[in-house]
Amino acid sequence: MRMLSRNATFNSHGQDSSYFLGWQEYEKNPYHEVHNTNGIIQMGLAENQLCFDLLESWLAKNPEAAAFKKNGESIFAELALFQDYHGLPAFKKAMVDFMAEIRGNKVTFDPNHLVLTAGATSANETFIFCLADPGEAFLIPTPYYPGFDRDLKWRTGVEIVPIHCTNSNGFQITETALEEAYQEAEKCNLRVKGVLVTNPSNPLGTTMTRNELYLLLSFVEDKGIHLISDEIYSGTAFSSPSFISVMEVLKDRNCDENFEVWQRVHVVYSLSKDLGLPGFRVGAIYSNDDMVVAAATKMSSFGLVSSQTQHLLSAMLSDKKLTKNYIAENHKRLKQRQKNLVSGLQKAGISCLNGNAGLFCWVDMRHLLRSNTFEAEMELWKKIVYEVHLNISPGSSCHCTEPGWFRVCFANLPERTLDLAMQRLKAFVGEYYNVPEVNGRSQSSHLSHSRGQSLTKWVSRLSFDDRCPIHGR
Amino acid sequence: MASSASENRLLLSKIATNEKHGENSPYFDGWNKYNQNPFHLTENPEGVIQMGLAENQLSFDLVEEWIRKNPKASICTAEGIEKFRNVANFQDYHGLPEFRQAIATFMSKARGGRVTFDPHRVVMSGGATGANELVMFCLADRGDAFLIPSPYYPAFYRDLGWRTGVQIVPVDCDSSNNFKITKEALEAAYEKAQNNNINVKGLIITNPSNPLGTTLDKDTLESLVTFINQKNIHLVCDEIYAATVFSSPKFTCITEVIQNMNCNPNLIHIVYSLSKDMGFPGLRVGIVYSYNDDVVNIGRKMSSFGLVSSQTQHMLASMLSDEDFVEKFLTTSAKRLAKRHGVFTDGLEEVGINCLKSNAGLFCWMDLRRLLKDQTFDGEMVLWRVIVNEVKLNVSPGSSFKCVEPGWFRVCFANMDDDTVEVALKRIRAFVGQGKKAQEQAQVKSPKKRWQSNLRLSFSSSSRRFEQEGVSVMSPRMMSPHSPMPHSPLLRATT
């Protein structure tokens, strides 16, 4: 008899993928400004480290929130005992207000429809447990966050079927791609329960267009399925076009509780990216469907938010002066940082997808590939990790269907480290490829490299998700 | 077009729409009665006293004092703020090293220092709730089963089986031997499962026991270890009440036992938490400690779904590595629990109510069999409704713990102050006294009539109404420890 469960014995947690291997290499040899100047610079971590000072100065001015006090009285005992899965009402109110503020107050959220979870990781898994049975499927546009393979599939037994997006239109979702994915699922006898999108997108660093959102809504309406919009980067949309939430589009279309689709649109949120607080494990599920809210609330028992943290953040997010200032300053600093990365890449003859959000750029290194294959992508990635000593994330780990794209993060390191990283990259490219500086156009150009090799015939290397997924893996 | 509820149901998963979370029982009276009419010493002295909640509220003063003296433990105070960004950013599922170390040290101290724990085996989870589910996900597949000695914590039904699809096979224990787990009972349960083609993957025990309040003796533990090794199945030991042991015999943890036996360590796993020992259920600190390297490895990856807030890890790392504080806390907490237990059980004894002799936990296992009109679970429900509605105490009926004998009730004593305990005892005295009086009167009139039926007649007609309702054995207050506590001052939201 197998002693452990299938969950424990197969690698469906997805953590053997290159995305995580890069992290491991980093951990063996991490860059340090003083102690290890030749170490690997971590650019594979989508963290927001740019605005801690704003939170720290708020804390300095608001000692009560820190000291388990309310109106001068100690509330430690009450907090320590508070395990109500409905969450601290003051915190949920503050959360929904913050979410509305990020969306320019164009939409509002009802705190009674918000369920707190231990991070977006837990929120996403909980949604799948609520909406799909083992063996059913969710459609997800590629490229997507590699952690979804764990969060959505591992313990739930649900499959992911990719919606293929390509550079031909800036990786936007098309009607054709949606339909094709749906057919593919049907061919594999997988019942599709919904579509999950990340908006703003990880790894693309772009916000979805209104058209894409309309398209999605029509699609899920037509198929009678769910739409989960993971909006954990909503507060990082730092330049135009502005972020449009799926909730806003519902409102635009006058969809309310009288429309079926209204109940099938759900949002995931978190404070890990917008506020840079991944350690606090604050995630949230938002749904218009009472049954989903009820089921998710019960499930949240398996991963509630620490009451100590709820109390602190409730005070913080209720301070509208702080939130207003934070949102604006966060945008400003992210925008500047992204600009620095883009210009650094350009100096190395590398361009990226025109991004307006997120904590990373979607970088085009196709012209540096030996051949238009994922093998070549892996080869290039290994060089970048082991020789250039930069940890960046290869597109294949994000299930991108086109080789040569990489996600490079810019908000998790000091500016001088970012500059150093760009210098290293420039030196590498110069040495191996002799590629001239790009003149600032956002579209990538297919330059032949110094070895004079022409692109081989394009080989479609299917990621495992493109085949009919194997059940019970 | 508005969607129909049934159409919507089809679009949700089976898990979301089945009842296996266990929270929807037809019978809500105990919980609702408390919520509608909560006791308050001065503001509502006739309200329902909550005795169905296993919380440890006796030693917060010690913790509060520590917090006051240690502002550095908070990342938000002037003294501690330099750590803010690193801690807030820290989401490594290995946990803060100092936290893991502090937990390993604390676990050892809670076991009298008789054993030590390796911080590298400490895996975080979302409370013990998350820990128990995580262990199941690691050890069992959908449809597999775990043996559990009854009576057991009702929410195991949800924690072990709801999303995992794992089945529970009870191992029946009864009062004939003080609810000890026997080899015969284990074998019988195992065989029954085999005969029904149910694949048993392990045995899960709670030691100290909820609801019994007793610790397992060394012989029993050794026989359990022998059993699981023979069958090559896992042993999960939920030791979340380890530091609530307040009198002898001292706590024997599983680590102590396996050290001196021929046991495959890959089969041994411990679930721990700070919710009961420290009284911190709100902080969501659950721990999985396994002697199986694969389980540690995979469990750690799974812990992503329920990590402990780094803010909380940081504070507790500091608190639990303060040896003087821990020593003082463990000693004082045990003393206070012993005292409270003594006051309560003495008070019950005065009116002829016995409890199972216990040395741990936050509750007593009360024997009210002689108060049952019928020695059946229906009879138990009748008595329970009387206790909730007339005596105004929310206690937990044994049937909700899947006890095989009717008439046992779990009553919690550590979630209230001394004055409230007094009021509760007074009410119990009055209730039993009334029963005795009625009995005497009945004996004068008709000696053959059982006094219990007169006991029933002495109360209002509302209690008779409840007798006709269907039997449901779940006390929802117990089933859903994360249900609302409408009287927490934290719920008076300020905007």
Side-chain angles (χ1 to χ4, degrees):
Chain A
M1 173 176 71
R2 195 192 320 112
M3 286 314 293
L4 301 187
S5 64
R6 284 193 186 87
N7 279 325
T9 31
F10 293 108
N11 66 351
S12 46
H13 49 74
Q15 288 192 213
D16 295 335
S17 93
S18 48
Y19 181 75
F20 296 100
L21 291 176
W23 286 21
Q24 283 168 25
E25 284 310 308
Y26 163 75
E27 256 146 44
K28 286 185 208 159
N29 181 21
Y31 169 81
H32 190 278
E33 210 171 12
V34 173
H35 304 303
N36 189 16
T37 52
N38 201 32
I40 298 178
I41 297 176
Q42 174 63 288
M43 301 188 86
L45 202 46
E47 280 175 0
N48 184 355
Q49 296 190 20
L50 303 189
C51 293
F52 283 126
D53 58 313
L54 301 179
L55 302 181
E56 285 159 349
S57 80
W58 183 90
L59 285 168
K61 297 191 198 121
N62 292 272
E64 265 215 354
F68 295 110
K69 279 205 178 115
K70 203 172 191 173
N71 303 324
E73 297 276 303
S74 168
I75 54 165
F76 176 77
E78 286 85 353
L79 273 179
L81 290 171
F82 188 83
Q83 57 171 329
D84 177 358
Y85 57 25
H86 292 92
L88 220 51
F91 178 50
K92 292 218 298 191
K93 179 78 178 62
M95 278 285 276
V96 299
D97 286 349
F98 186 62
M99 287 167 71
E101 197 176 346
I102 285 173
R103 289 153 182 73
N105 290 310
K106 295 194 195 108
V107 283
T108 55
F109 297 88
D110 175 357
N112 295 318
H113 282 256
L114 191 80
V115 179
L116 300 172
T117 61
T121 300
S122 178
N124 279 314
E125 192 198 40
T126 299
F127 252 137
I128 300 300
F129 267 125
C130 286
L131 303 180
D133 291 320
E136 294 182 335
F138 256 75
L139 309 182
I140 307 194
T142 66
Y144 63 77
Y145 164 56
F148 278 157
D149 290 326
R150 171 197 62 193
D151 301 351
L152 309 180
K153 290 169 49 169
W154 188 18
R155 306 189 308 179
T156 61
V158 169
E159 296 292 351
I160 292 177
V161 176
I163 301 165
H164 295 301
C165 302
T166 67
N167 181 52
S168 59
N169 69 343
F171 295 94
Q172 289 189 36
I173 301 169
T174 63
E175 200 173 338
T176 314
L178 280 167
E179 282 296 342
E180 274 175 9
Y182 194 87
Q183 301 308 327
E184 191 59 35
E186 292 209 308
K187 245 194 274 174
C188 294
N189 282 321
L190 294 170
R191 183 176 171 208
V192 175
K193 291 307 278 289
V195 178
L196 187 149
V197 298
T198 309
N199 177 29
S201 162
N202 174 14
L204 301 176
T206 53
T207 50
M208 288 181 83
T209 63
R210 203 174 286 273
N211 276 348
E212 278 176 287
L213 288 162
Y214 280 154
L215 188 59
L216 279 169
L217 276 176
S218 301
F219 181 77
V220 302
E221 205 168 8
D222 179 50
K223 302 290 189 226
I225 59 179
H226 294 279
L227 176 60
I228 300 175
S229 179
D230 181 337
E231 299 188 350
I232 67 172
Y233 290 97
S234 47
T236 68
F238 49 78
S239 67
S240 64
S242 56
F243 168 64
I244 308 168
S245 166
V246 71
M247 290 301 179
E248 203 187 312
V249 173
L250 271 181
K251 205 173 159 197
D252 281 351
R253 293 177 70 191
N254 294 316
C255 280
D256 59 15
E257 59 266 26
N258 295 314
F259 290 82
E260 259 191 61
V261 73
W262 184 79
Q263 281 194 303
R264 295 202 304 272
V265 175
H266 322 280
V267 168
V268 167
Y269 189 56
S270 161
L271 298 181
S272 301
K273 309 296 179 183
D274 290 352
L275 282 189
L277 305 174
F280 287 1
R281 314 313 302 144
V282 179
I285 273 175
Y286 189 88
S287 176
N288 292 318
D289 184 334
D290 288 337
M291 277 171 57
V292 172
V293 171
T297 303
K298 293 177 178 69
M299 280 191 201
S300 68
S301 295
F302 299 111
L304 298 174
V305 178
S306 167
S307 55
Q308 175 192 20
T309 301
Q310 290 191 52
H311 172 65
L312 169 67
L313 294 176
S314 157
M316 221 185 243
L317 295 182
S318 304
D319 185 339
K320 300 294 184 238
K321 228 172 116 193
L322 171 69
T323 56
K324 186 169 175 204
N325 183 40
Y326 186 97
I327 291 171
E329 195 59 30
N330 191 33
H331 286 172
K332 201 166 132 201
R333 295 180 191 186
L334 286 170
K335 185 173 180 178
Q336 182 60 47
R337 190 55 80 82
Q338 190 236 31
K339 204 167 145 208
N340 292 346
L341 175 64
V342 169
S343 106
L345 289 168
Q346 281 172 353
K347 291 193 173 85
I350 298 169
S351 58
C352 25
L353 186 70
N354 200 5
N356 65 324
L359 309 172
F360 32 71
C361 284
W362 189 235
V363 176
D364 184 359
M365 297 199 196
R366 290 177 295 168
H367 59 298
L368 302 179
L369 295 187
R370 182 179 48 78
S371 59
N372 191 4
T373 61
F374 287 106
E375 283 82 12
E377 181 184 282
M378 274 297 108
E379 219 179 273
L380 175 59
W381 176 66
K382 280 178 187 160
K383 278 208 181 79
I384 294 177
V385 171
Y386 293 110
E387 292 177 27
V388 191
H389 287 182
L390 301 181
N391 181 36
I392 62 177
S393 312
S396 49
S397 67
C398 302
H399 304 284
C400 186
T401 42
E402 299 176 355
W405 293 88
F406 291 78
R407 189 191 76 170
V408 179
C409 299
F410 56 69
N412 64 310
L413 67 184
E415 196 154 331
R416 54 192 180 276
T417 312
L418 179 64
D419 291 340
L420 173 62
M422 292 301 101
Q423 283 165 33
R424 286 185 187 176
L425 198 55
K426 184 173 179 205
F428 165 72
V429 171
E431 190 189 326
Y432 276 93
Y433 300 100
N434 212 13
V435 170
E437 226 175 283
V438 170
N439 62 6
R441 279 184 309 144
S442 59
Q443 279 179 308
S444 59
S445 46
H446 292 274
L447 303 166
S448 59
H449 50 72
S450 61
R451 291 177 192 173
Q453 289 176 0
S454 58
L455 293 172
T456 56
K457 191 175 172 190
W458 185 75
V459 171
S460 169
R461 179 193 180 276
L462 297 175
S463 65
F464 68 82
D465 278 342
D466 294 343
R467 300 188 297 266
C468 291
I470 302 163
H471 292 272
R473 195 169 35 154
Chain B
M1 296 155 273
S3 61
S4 71
S6 60
E7 273 167 18
N8 259 357
R9 266 184 98 84
L10 287 175
L11 266 186
L12 303 191
S13 65
K14 292 193 177 75
I15 290 174
T17 47
N18 68 24
E19 301 290 298
K20 292 193 177 160
H21 49 73
E23 290 188 31
N24 278 350
S25 77
Y27 189 63
F28 274 89
D29 270 14
W31 179 41
N32 283 340
K33 284 287 184 274
Y34 170 74
N35 285 343
Q36 288 160 14
N37 184 19
F39 172 82
H40 188 280
L41 197 66
T42 48
E43 288 168 31
N44 190 20
E46 299 306 314
V48 176
I49 299 178
Q50 174 63 283
M51 303 191 86
L53 199 48
E55 279 177 355
N56 184 354
Q57 296 192 22
L58 302 189
S59 300
F60 282 125
D61 57 319
L62 302 177
V63 179
E64 280 163 348
E65 187 193 349
W66 187 91
I67 289 174
R68 259 196 308 275
K69 291 192 183 140
N70 291 273
K72 237 182 147 183
S74 165
I75 49 173
C76 310
T77 55
E79 294 85 343
I81 202 166
E82 57 173 16
K83 293 260 164 76
F84 177 80
R85 57 181 68 194
N86 285 338
V87 170
N89 206 43
F90 187 85
Q91 57 172 329
D92 181 345
Y93 58 27
H94 290 84
L96 286 171
E98 56 270 28
F99 173 70
R100 280 198 300 173
Q101 180 61 64
I103 290 286
T105 307
F106 184 76
M107 283 174 70
S108 171
K109 292 217 154 57
R111 289 151 180 76
R114 293 182 291 278
V115 289
T116 55
F117 294 92
D118 176 1
H120 295 104
R121 290 192 179 280
V122 170
V123 172
M124 295 182 285
S125 56
T129 302
N132 279 313
E133 192 197 43
L134 190 150
V135 167
M136 289 300 116
F137 269 125
C138 287
L139 303 181
D141 292 315
R142 199 157 274 284
D144 287 341
F146 256 73
L147 304 176
I148 308 189
S150 70
Y152 59 81
Y153 168 57
F156 271 157
Y157 187 61
R158 171 195 65 192
D159 299 352
L160 307 178
W162 186 24
R163 303 193 304 181
T164 60
V166 170
Q167 303 184 60
I168 287 180
V169 173
V171 177
D172 294 335
C173 305
D174 59 55
S175 61
S176 63
N177 67 345
N178 293 323
F179 296 92
K180 284 192 180 172
I181 308 164
T182 64
K183 191 161 179 281
E184 292 71 32
L186 281 170
E187 291 284 358
Y190 186 84
E191 205 182 304
K192 191 174 172 193
Q194 299 281 78
N195 292 339
N196 288 313
N197 284 321
I198 295 171
N199 187 25
V200 174
K201 286 310 282 285
L203 165 67
I204 179 166
I205 59 169
T206 308
N207 179 30
S209 163
N210 173 16
L212 302 176
T214 53
T215 48
L216 268 62
D217 60 83
K218 191 153 165 282
D219 287 341
T220 304
L221 285 165
E222 282 176 350
S223 77
L224 296 182
V225 170
T226 304
F227 175 78
I228 57 118
N229 274 277
Q230 273 170 1
K231 305 282 190 248
N232 198 28
I233 60 176
H234 294 279
L235 178 60
V236 178
C237 303
D238 183 334
E239 297 189 345
I240 68 173
Y241 290 97
T244 67
V245 177
F246 50 78
S247 68
S248 63
K250 66 168 169 53
F251 178 54
T252 306
C253 67
I254 195 65
T255 307
E256 276 177 79
V257 172
I258 61 173
Q259 273 171 5
N260 299 316
M261 283 183 80
N262 201 8
C263 173
N264 176 1
N266 288 326
L267 301 176
I268 308 294
H269 323 274
I270 299 173
V271 164
Y272 189 58
S273 162
L274 297 181
S275 300
K276 308 298 178 183
D277 287 352
M278 297 289 300
F280 292 164
L283 302 185
R284 311 316 300 148
V285 180
I287 302 291
V288 173
Y289 188 97
S290 175
Y291 290 99
N292 181 321
D293 292 344
D294 290 336
V295 172
V296 170
N297 187 25
I298 288 292
R300 185 157 287 134
K301 292 177 171 65
M302 275 192 199
S303 69
S304 297
F305 298 110
L307 296 173
V308 176
S309 165
S310 54
Q311 177 193 18
T312 301
Q313 288 186 51
H314 178 77
M315 178 185 75
L316 293 176
S318 189
M319 194 188 287
L320 300 183
S321 53
D322 182 337
E323 289 189 13
D324 291 336
F325 166 75
V326 168
E327 177 68 44
K328 186 176 174 193
F329 182 92
L330 291 175
T331 316
T332 311
S333 176
K335 264 201 200 117
R336 293 178 183 179
L337 285 170
K339 185 171 176 214
R340 180 57 70 81
H341 172 267
V343 162
F344 196 70
T345 48
D346 288 349
L348 290 176
E349 246 182 74
E350 274 172 34
V351 290
I353 293 178
N354 295 321
C355 297
L356 184 72
K357 188 164 179 333
S358 64
N359 63 326
L362 308 172
F363 32 71
C364 290
W365 190 234
M366 202 166 52
D367 182 358
L368 299 183
R369 286 177 292 173
R370 65 180 184 82
L371 298 185
L372 295 188
K373 176 174 174 281
D374 303 308
Q375 294 295 323
T376 61
F377 289 110
D378 283 357
E380 182 181 280
M381 278 295 111
V382 166
L383 179 57
W384 181 42
R385 290 175 213 271
V386 165
I387 296 174
V388 170
N389 294 312
E390 305 297 341
V391 191
K392 299 225 177 65
L393 301 177
N394 183 34
V395 299
S396 313
S399 46
S400 56
F401 296 90
K402 296 286 191 269
C403 186
V404 294
E405 290 176 13
W408 293 88
F409 290 77
R410 189 193 76 171
V411 61
C412 300
F413 55 68
N415 62 315
M416 60 189 68
D417 57 34
D418 291 331
D419 293 330
T420 310
V421 174
E422 258 324 296
V423 176
L425 286 173
K426 221 188 283 182
R427 290 184 187 179
I428 293 171
R429 275 183 222 117
F431 165 63
V432 176
Q434 241 171 334
K436 278 205 171 126
K437 204 172 172 186
Q439 179 184 18
E440 282 156 17
Q441 285 172 349
Q443 279 176 343
V444 164
K445 284 182 185 167
S446 160
K448 286 179 189 169
K449 216 172 186 180
R450 288 194 328 190
W451 71 271
Q452 287 96 336
S453 55
N454 289 304
L455 179 69
R456 181 162 59 84
L457 288 170
S458 67
F459 293 106
S460 68
S461 58
S462 58
S463 62
R464 257 175 258 143
R465 173 163 56 85
F466 294 116
E467 295 160 47
Q468 277 127 34
E469 286 179 16
V471 176
S472 161
V473 299
M474 306 293 182
S475 158
R477 191 62 191 85
M478 210 165 29
M479 285 298 304
S480 38
H482 310 300
S483 317
M485 284 167 58
H487 309 291
S488 166
L490 302 174
L491 291 178
R492 293 191 271 281
T494 53
T495 47

